[in-house]
Amino acid sequence: MSLSFFDQFMSPTYLGIPLIALALTLPWLLFPNPSARWLNNRLLTLQNWFMGQFTSQMFSPINLGGHKWALLLASLMIFLISLNMLGLLPYTFTPTTQLSMNMGLAVPLWLATVLMGMRTQPTAALGHLLPEGTPVPLIPVLIIIETISLFIRPLALGVRLTANLTAGHLLMQLIATAAFVLLPLMPAVAILTSVILLLLTMLEVAVAMIQAYVFVLLISLYLQENV
């Protein structure tokens, strides 16, 4: 029984064909397309306002050289939010619960920020490995520690997103199973459990948006260090 709880995180297949590509493509079909009219509809206006607020807040502390990343990070933010929110629907698959996919997003973006820093300002980029005023005997140890922490960053990005979404989905399934089992035995307790499940679902909606924001925010902080 305990193994069945993890079946929801398996990549779905149909006739031996993995459907994760379909799960990654579907969110883009739900976005409203820009129109040539002077006045847009409410959904497109809300989307434009959200993108403008997000871009201005995210890139206000970053130099002009890093503003080229605005389109990429804003698109990644909307994409992750859509994947996380669609994964909360019944009988759906959440691709962001796969560590391989999250690492595939985190590693190239982190590596791009590091390479940009090495190309534009190599002295400042390497200077992050050794804090100013470090005693001479501690210099080799601190360089090793800072190098390890630098390479752990993409792993932390992928594991954070995977762990938060996986834990939330597992907790929702456990509480839903408990409510279903307790309904014929103790209806009052089952109703209370269902209320807790409703509150947890609202919390998971917030977590789905917050985790997408944190993922992009950390990438922007790495970009700020190297631009």
Side-chain angles (χ1 to χ4, degrees), residues 162-182:
T162 304
N164 281 282
L165 295 179
T166 303
H169 284 63
L170 281 177
L171 189 58
M172 289 176 62
Q173 186 171 1
L174 287 171
I175 295 179
T177 304
F180 180 76
V181 173
L182 292 174

Side-chain angles (χ1 to χ4, degrees), residues 201-217:
T201 304
M202 297 172 61
L203 178 63
E204 280 302 307
V205 171
V207 169
M209 294 186 290
I210 291 173
Q211 288 303 316
Y213 175 75
V214 168
F215 188 90
V216 179
L217 176 64

Side-chain angles (χ1 to χ4, degrees), residues 81-94 165 168-169 172 200-209:
I81 287 179
S82 302
L83 288 179
N84 296 344
M85 297 290 286
L86 289 176
L88 295 176
L89 297 176
Y91 302 103
T92 56
F93 171 68
T94 312
L165 295 179
H169 284 63
M172 289 176 62
L200 180 62
T201 304
M202 297 172 61
L203 178 63
E204 280 302 307
V205 171
V207 169
M209 294 186 290

Side-chain angles (χ1 to χ4, degrees), residues 7-14 17-21 23 92-94 98:
D7 291 344
Q8 59 177 320
F9 304 117
M10 297 175 60
S11 179
T13 58
Y14 182 73
I17 302 174
L19 299 180
I20 188 172
T92 56
F93 171 68
T94 312
Q98 305 294 314

Side-chain angles (χ1 to χ4, degrees), residues 19-115:
L19 299 180
I20 188 172
L22 181 62
L24 295 175
T25 308
L26 182 60
W28 297 108
L29 303 178
L30 302 178
F31 296 154
N33 296 322
S35 62
R37 299 178 180 179
W38 285 10
L39 296 178
N40 297 320
N41 56 24
R42 292 182 177 88
L43 183 59
L44 191 57
T45 303
L46 180 62
Q47 177 185 345
N48 293 336
W49 175 83
F50 174 76
M51 295 291 287
Q53 292 293 322
F54 166 76
T55 306
S56 62
Q57 179 183 0
M58 187 72 66
F59 289 90
S60 56
I62 301 179
N63 296 333
L64 293 177
H67 290 186
K68 301 175 183 178
W69 289 59
L71 180 60
L72 174 62
L73 295 185
S75 302
L76 179 63
M77 171 80 170
I78 297 296
F79 183 60
L80 290 177
I81 287 179
S82 302
L83 288 179
N84 296 344
M85 297 290 286
L86 289 176
L88 295 176
L89 297 176
Y91 302 103
T92 56
F93 171 68
T94 312
T96 45
T97 56
Q98 305 294 314
L99 181 62
S100 57
M101 176 189 162
N102 295 333
M103 293 300 295
L105 292 174
V107 172
L109 293 173
W110 164 82
L111 186 60
T113 60
V114 173
L115 293 179

